[in-house]
Amino acid sequence: DEPGYKFGAFGGVRYDHALLAMIEDAAGRVKLRTERVWLAGYSGGGQFAERFLLLQPHRLHAVSIGAPGYVTLLDTSLPWWAGTGGFAERFGHGPDLDAMRRVAIHLCVGAEDTETEVIRVPEGHPLWVRGAGSAGPTRIARLERLAESLRAERMDVTLDIFPGAAHATEPSIPTVTRFLEPRLAAAG
């Protein structure tokens, strides 16, 4: 269901719960430790990864959020999804900032990912909410603003703007790998 999964819930489906059910199903088939996981997503998957961090931070060791078109700032003055206003009413709990502080957060985007039209949400568009464009006009600006928002709450954030790439998943893989590999190794 496009674009519902990017926003945590849509049409009565909680996508964080769906992912957790898939993880538990896999753990039933293969011996896996599933109490905390590493998650990476790019573009729409990056949006999902950020919303999963907000909804289920206690289930994450680390998260890599790659080039999301729309970000959610830790700002209760902005309505959900541009900010966290109404989050508790929508999801039954507020963002657990203490749990989020225990997650290593990686933000990444290509240095040439400057296209604006596809991520613009004009008033009247089905996804429009007040503040929809307040994080900036490009994915780069939006990730920089997200990094500021998370760091203002004392979260461990690494922001990587990697050279030579516009909006494409494959060029992000080395950057994501460099972030995740030492964390996976440390977990044993």
Side-chain angles (χ1 to χ4, degrees):
D1 132 50
E2 194 2 88
Y5 77 96
K6 299 173 187 175
F7 297 96
F10 185 78
V13 177
R14 283 280 302 268
Y15 288 91
D16 57 322
H17 293 169
L19 177 58
L20 292 173
M22 288 187 275
I23 291 168
E24 293 310 315
D25 181 63
R29 299 165 193 262
V30 181
K31 186 177 176 168
L32 297 172
R33 292 176 21 210
T34 62
E35 54 281 349
R36 290 179 72 204
V37 299
W38 293 263
L39 180 64
Y42 190 85
S43 194
Q47 291 180 63
F48 174 79
E50 185 202 355
R51 284 21 176 279
F52 192 88
L53 169 66
L54 289 165
L55 291 163
Q56 303 287 344
H58 60 283
R59 296 299 304 265
L60 291 170
H61 281 290
V63 62
S64 181
I65 300 166
Y70 313 124
V71 299
T72 299
L73 303 176
L74 296 177
D75 183 344
T76 58
S77 73
L78 293 174
W80 177 258
W81 58 262
T84 52
F87 186 96
E89 294 79 11
R90 178 177 296 269
F91 296 109
H93 61 85
D96 185 342
L97 300 180
D98 287 332
M100 290 173 70
R101 288 182 191 107
R102 292 188 290 276
V103 178
I105 302 168
H106 181 237
L107 309 177
C108 68
V109 63
E112 297 172 26
D113 196 345
T114 57
E115 191 282 326
T116 60
E117 188 57 32
V118 75
I119 63 171
R120 191 174 66 82
V121 183
E123 193 167 348
H125 187 281
L127 293 177
W128 185 86
V129 296
R130 183 177 49 77
S134 64
T138 66
R139 293 172 199 270
I140 296 167
R142 291 176 183 192
L143 271 187
E144 289 172 336
R145 181 64 187 97
L146 178 59
E148 291 171 11
S149 177
L150 296 168
R151 287 175 180 149
E153 293 294 339
R154 302 178 324 277
M155 293 181 196
D156 176 18
V157 178
T158 301
L159 173 61
D160 283 323
I161 300 175
F162 50 92
H167 193 68
T169 306
E170 192 171 325
S172 74
I173 293 172
T175 301
V176 174
T177 301
R178 274 191 302 277
F179 174 77
L180 289 177
E181 269 185 344
R183 287 158 179 84
L184 288 165

